[in-house]
Amino acid sequence: MSLHGRDITSIRDLSREEIEEILASARKMIPYAEGSKVVHPLAEKIVAMAFFEPSTRTRLSFEAAVHRLGGNCLTIADAGATSLRKGESLYDTIRMLSSYADAIVIRHPNEGSARLAARASDRPVINAGDGAGQHPTQTLLDLATLHEAFGTLTGLKVVLLGDLKYGRTVHSLAYALAEFGSELILSSPRGLALPEERREELKRVGGRVSEQPDIRKAVQEADALYVTRIQKERFVDESEYREVAGSYRIDASVLASAKPRLIVMHPLPRAGEIAPEVDQTPHAAYFRQAFLAVPVRMALLASVLGSSRRGG
Amino acid sequence: MRELKITPIKNGTVIDHIGNGLALEVLRIIGVRELDKDSSVSVAIHVRSGKLGWKDIVKVESMELSPRKVNAIALIAPTATISIIRDYKVREKRVVDLPSRIVGVLRCPNPTCISNQPEPIESEFEVTDRRPVVLTCAFCERRVDDFLRHLA
Ligand SMILES: Nc1ncnc2c1ncn2[C@@H]1O[C@H](COP(=O)(O)OP(=O)(O)OP(=O)(O)O)[C@@H](O)[C@H]1O
Ligand SMILES: [Mg+2]
Ligand SMILES: [Zn+2]
């Protein structure tokens, strides 16, 4: 198996074995991501960062990953607004970019844009988020965080909390966890439940899924609590939003009856979903999760773009 | 029992064994407005059929269907047979057959899918289930099972 030269547009493009291999390689990348060791498999390589909508964190961690691997970035930080496109199709823009770079990382507001980019480009394309669609490297780093904490992705009980309707990160994560044989406990406010289509998809891969709207109960049995943002725009009136957001807030008292080893995850940035007091507890894993973005993206870039020979 | 309730055609295409009530959708796919001046169309709706109970038939004079239109018909009328008539005789007959990819026939139901933006590409779906037929957008992964509403 080799990821060399492959497009990574959806977590579904990766087999379970391939995901395991990326996670294993990401673990080895940690000292290189921290800068305590140096490795340059991307020396002389250029990676284009085609960001058609702003996403500072994702872009920065991809750039850090490229730099740590000794490569160079061509960054278009807000391609939608710049004069780069001038009404040009995405197809043509990517076609042009693919002649300047060895790989393209794309973030775009329309679902399916990474697949389109992969067709336009003769270099590998990595999806860094396409609208409400896929964001496979986010899923990989979420899995890496769980794997680092528990040494496995099988048999875990993971609570997915918050906006499970629009939150794309939870859709791909739920799918991957179901495939690995972990159990999902869904906890969402009314109107923001996991869409039926997603639920059926989980069933198709044999996922065990239950619901527990009461956070305190949901947390008791869980190994991990994955918190997502609840966005104001999803509510008709402000007061309803505040009530819902308030009842889904994680603080020390919510975690009082949790297992000692429960980890709390969040894709960040948080907006009040997790009280700062949780940072001080051993449950807080979200900053570790944010750091793991770098070694995971390094591992992926190195296998897609690095020499096809293994090791080194 | 001969079932020629409508005038025989000299050259053209007969789409027979269309599921009861679906003839008008087949006409939509054929695109009545695109027909040339010699292509008159006759339609029989709710005709007795041994195999189907009731069926619809569409006959188009002086026209043979493009593969794309045949694919679209396969989607909404999977029981249909297509006969090519030349000089009043059936020269070719085949059952419609759903390919594994459907290109350009349907619009993706997701309005923000990249395939609905002004890009130099055609819509594309993978047939991900056959019984019943379910298609998945090759770009945004949206699933479609109500094809009638999404014909391009
Ligand atoms: N000259 C013609 N003009 C119009 N329709 C025709 C003509 N010749 C045949 N057809 C129609 O084309 C279809 C196929 O013709 P065919 O003679 O093979 O019918 P069949 O024996 O009933 O076959 P099937 O098993 O497909 O029903 C039928 O619907 C028939 O009515
Ligand atoms: Mg007959
Ligand atoms: Zn689509």
Side-chain angles (χ1 to χ4, degrees):
Chain A
M1 178 217 75
S2 169
L3 292 172
H4 187 76
R6 286 254 300 269
D7 300 311
I8 310 295
T9 54
S10 164
I11 196 71
R12 290 168 191 75
D13 295 346
L14 299 168
S15 70
R16 199 174 146 159
E17 292 69 35
E18 287 166 343
I19 291 175
E20 278 165 348
E21 183 158 324
I22 294 166
L23 297 186
S25 146
R27 282 195 290 283
K28 294 194 201 114
M29 284 290 182
I30 289 174
Y32 303 95
E34 288 166 337
S36 53
K37 285 188 183 177
V38 174
V39 66
H40 281 168
L42 259 54
E44 315 302 321
K45 298 274 194 212
I46 297 174
V47 180
M49 300 288 159
F51 277 63
F52 294 88
E53 71 179 7
S55 165
T56 316
R57 277 151 225 276
T58 303
R59 181 168 59 78
L60 289 181
S61 65
F62 262 112
E63 287 179 356
V66 171
H67 289 306
R68 291 287 195 200
L69 294 169
N72 299 293
C73 299
L74 273 184
T75 295
I76 310 131
D78 193 359
T82 62
S83 60
L84 173 77
R85 296 195 55 194
K86 292 187 169 149
E88 187 179 46
S89 64
L90 175 65
Y91 189 94
D92 285 3
T93 306
I94 294 296
R95 184 92 199 250
M96 178 265 307
L97 268 183
S98 77
S99 64
Y100 299 163
D102 299 293
I104 297 176
V105 174
I106 180 176
R107 157 71 64 114
H108 193 280
N110 289 112
E111 295 84 44
S113 50
R115 288 254 161 80
L116 176 113
R119 291 183 183 203
S121 166
D122 48 15
R123 301 305 179 106
V125 167
I126 298 178
N127 186 2
D130 55 350
Q134 301 297 321
H135 192 1
T137 61
Q138 176 72 45
T139 308
L140 288 169
L141 73 92
D142 292 343
L143 295 174
T145 308
L146 286 162
H147 195 281
E148 182 175 71
F150 300 104
T152 179
L153 295 173
T154 304
L156 301 175
K157 278 189 186 168
V158 180
V159 178
L160 302 175
L161 181 85
D163 177 358
L164 307 185
K165 184 172 182 186
Y166 301 98
R168 72 173 159 207
T169 57
V170 288
H171 295 167
S172 316
L173 178 62
Y175 177 84
L177 286 173
E179 272 213 322
F180 274 98
S182 279
E183 194 180 324
L184 302 168
I185 303 162
L186 310 178
S187 193
S188 59
R190 238 183 320 120
L192 293 179
L194 194 72
E196 196 48 43
E197 188 176 328
R198 297 291 159 190
R199 201 178 268 271
E200 271 166 26
E201 181 181 63
L202 296 178
K203 269 192 235 148
R204 280 199 297 276
V205 295
R208 277 169 301 156
V209 184
S210 63
E211 250 159 298
Q212 181 48 269
D214 182 335
I215 308 172
R216 280 161 211 269
K217 282 191 194 144
V219 160
Q220 277 170 17
E221 295 284 291
D223 299 301
L225 171 61
Y226 195 99
V227 186
T228 61
R229 267 185 302 283
I230 293 180
Q231 284 167 315
K232 214 185 272 175
E233 306 88 83
R234 308 292 181 209
F235 293 85
V236 217
D237 64 288
E238 174 103 27
S239 65
E240 194 193 341
Y241 161 72
R242 254 184 277 129
E243 190 188 311
V244 167
S247 67
Y248 278 78
R249 184 178 158 86
I250 304 301
D251 57 20
S253 82
V254 171
L255 300 176
S257 56
K259 289 188 192 174
R261 291 194 57 193
L262 169 103
I263 63 168
V264 179
M265 297 169 67
H266 190 294
L268 300 181
R270 62 178 152 174
E273 301 91 0
I274 303 176
E277 66 190 27
V278 178
D279 300 2
Q280 271 31 271
T281 71
H283 301 301
Y286 28 91
F287 291 118
R288 182 65 180 170
Q289 184 186 359
F291 162 71
L292 288 175
V294 180
V296 164
R297 285 169 178 149
M298 285 172 77
L300 193 64
L301 285 163
S303 41
V304 166
L305 209 46
S307 96
S308 45
R309 267 178 303 126
R310 322 218 11 205
Chain B
M1 175 185 76
R2 293 294 290 162
E3 62 183 19
L4 277 179
K5 301 194 170 187
I6 24 195
T7 341
I9 57 179
K10 183 163 188 239
N11 298 302
T13 305
V14 176
I15 306 153
D16 195 356
H17 308 115
I18 300 168
N20 183 19
L22 291 169
L24 295 178
E25 304 304 337
V26 170
L27 287 178
R28 249 180 86 196
I29 293 168
I30 293 171
V32 176
R33 251 175 282 149
E34 290 165 40
L35 296 174
D36 64 38
K37 62 179 177 15
D38 300 321
S39 300
S40 50
V41 179
S42 27
V43 181
I45 293 178
H46 206 68
V47 180
R48 254 284 171 220
S49 158
K51 280 182 254 175
L52 299 171
W54 299 99
K55 66 174 179 182
D56 293 356
I57 310 174
V58 170
K59 303 188 182 190
V60 192
E61 201 149 10
S62 305
M63 192 195 83
E64 296 189 10
L65 294 168
S66 66
R68 177 164 301 196
K69 288 183 175 170
V70 173
N71 287 345
I73 291 169
L75 263 184
I76 63 139
T79 55
T81 53
I82 297 184
S83 303
I84 309 296
I85 310 292
R86 292 198 195 102
D87 202 18
Y88 297 106
K89 296 214 171 59
V90 178
R91 297 294 174 189
E92 246 180 70
K93 180 153 67 172
R94 55 195 180 97
V95 290
V96 299
D97 175 33
L98 194 61
S100 58
R101 263 171 197 275
I102 307 273
V103 177
V105 170
L106 302 171
R107 224 173 309 107
C108 180
N110 171 11
T112 54
C113 174
I114 196 73
S115 70
N116 285 320
Q117 314 309 314
E119 292 288 336
I121 45 145
E122 295 193 275
S123 74
E124 190 172 321
F125 292 84
E126 253 174 76
V127 178
T128 43
D129 267 310
R130 283 187 178 259
R131 237 171 263 188
V133 175
V134 177
L135 306 181
T136 303
C137 174
F139 293 97
C140 77
E141 300 183 9
R142 179 71 72 91
R143 286 159 64 86
V144 200
D145 52 14
D146 49 344
F147 315 117
L148 290 181
R149 287 183 47 216
H150 302 294
L151 287 174

